Amino acid sequence: MDNVISVILGGGRGTRLYPLTKERSKPAVPLAGKYRLIDIPVSNSLNSGINKIYVLTQFNSASLHRHITRSYKFDNFSKGFIEILAANQTIGSLDWYQGTADAVRQNLRFFDQPNIEYILILSGDQLYRMNYQHFIREHIKSGAEVSVSAIPAERRHAQALGLLKIDEQGRIVGFSEKPKDEAIIDSLSLDASFFEKRGVEPKGRTLLASMGIYLFNIGVLKEVLKKSQKPDFGKEIIPEIIKERAVHAYLFDGYWEDIGTIKSFYEANLELATFRPRFNLYSEKNPIYTSPLSLPGAIINNCRIIRSIIADGCIIDSGEISDSVIGFRTRIEKNTTIRSSVVMGADYYETKENIRANREKGIPNIGIGENTKIVGAIVDKNVHIGENVHIENTKKIETFDAENYMIRDSIIIIPKGSVIPSNTVLIENS
């Protein structure tokens, strides 16, 4: 894989994941108690033998840069690297990235290196495990100039996906981005025999959807981006080039989730806390790498825990936790109940000076106070939650904005560093 570069797209402002992206870029959003979203494509690349990796980002990249610097170190003889290319003004461009293709276009000079033949373009906000070696081998075997990784999909999801039509040789002959017209969806539908011939059980799936993962021959990539100034791969570049270039589909039939919204982020995390999640974090052959924090094991006293992840460094003193993810350094005081929630934890343990300052300000310490109940929420890092607090969307409100919390898709989100005073009942205050 010495002739391959992975390019991970960090995305734009991440508005659909706001407020989790208020102070961090999308790839830096925490996942499963101890990881970051960026760890998924980076780990997939490393496990596939690809160790030349660029991450393209432009918003709130400081925490992402810090995480990558701490997590991924290569020795002097491996020739491997992970570099962040943040959008900046240059002689060639005064604009920020306008889309996925524009981001790659503005950085082509970094990828055009001796002996590099293929550019693998990945998303920074997806949860899946793929051996890219299989993808690259199939690309070479088919004689493709461009390959698009695609996954079987059910019709009910059609309007949210980019749909592909391919011929018997695997070449893409049709593409429609989030089609609304039923006739268009019908024209892109495939028979069950199409999947069966390729060793895939249809399971009611009749469509093929783009995963937003692209493999280009580097020469073709340069020509395509020079010829077209369109800013986006999925919406514009790929549909444009299927008539004149050999663009093939690579069929993938594993677990794949696009973590682009609050709802998908919340649901993916809670599924990881189930006893047999579809995405396996416990693979020794293909581990998910992240920052080694050297934290002690969690201390748990007299607590009932059901289908939950408890990360390192937590201190939990009695109560009940069910169907939840508890991130590292989380402090939970007595008689607290947490259900169907994602608690991201803390970046640090508070010192005596911090605790004294909290007392002077009249705010709770970082963590969750006694006799508190949290149901159906995402609690970001370094949040101060007092005693006798009730956080639960009992009124089933879909969307709401308040000073110290938000609601999206009926999920309560407590932004990073927020303060919830003792004796607060959030939704009643709405």
Side-chain angles (χ1 to χ4, degrees), residues 1 130 204 228 243 256 272 361:
M1 296 291 104
M130 181 189 291
S228 174
K243 294 180 181 179
W256 175 79
L272 289 171
K361 293 176 184 177

Side-chain angles (χ1 to χ4, degrees), residues 26-71:
K26 277 199 294 184
V29 172
L31 176 76
K34 63 177 293 183
Y35 305 98
R36 306 273 186 147
L37 288 177
I38 190 66
D39 294 328
I40 303 302
V42 169
S43 297
N44 282 337
S45 295
L46 295 176
N47 290 331
S48 301
I50 302 170
N51 64 357
K52 300 179 181 69
I53 304 169
Y54 288 99
V55 182
L56 310 189
T57 187
Q58 61 184 343
F59 292 101
N60 293 331
S61 59
S63 65
L64 178 64
H65 193 285
R66 185 167 57 248
H67 174 74
I68 288 176
T69 301
R70 289 175 177 174
S71 304

Side-chain angles (χ1 to χ4, degrees), residues 232-287:
D232 196 80
F233 281 116
K235 294 177 183 177
E236 295 152 327
I237 298 292
I238 300 299
E240 269 186 9
I241 65 175
I242 57 177
K243 294 180 181 179
E244 56 192 58
R245 295 286 185 177
V247 184
H248 286 238
Y250 171 74
L251 190 59
F252 176 78
D253 191 32
Y255 174 83
W256 175 79
E257 187 66 49
D258 185 353
I259 314 289
T261 65
I262 289 294
K263 184 177 181 180
S264 61
F265 170 84
Y266 173 80
E267 291 177 347
N269 271 275
L270 294 197
E271 183 177 352
L272 289 171
T274 60
F275 192 64
R276 290 185 177 88
R278 288 180 293 164
F279 184 84
N280 179 18
L281 288 168
Y282 299 89
S283 172
E284 291 187 9
K285 292 183 178 179
N286 297 290

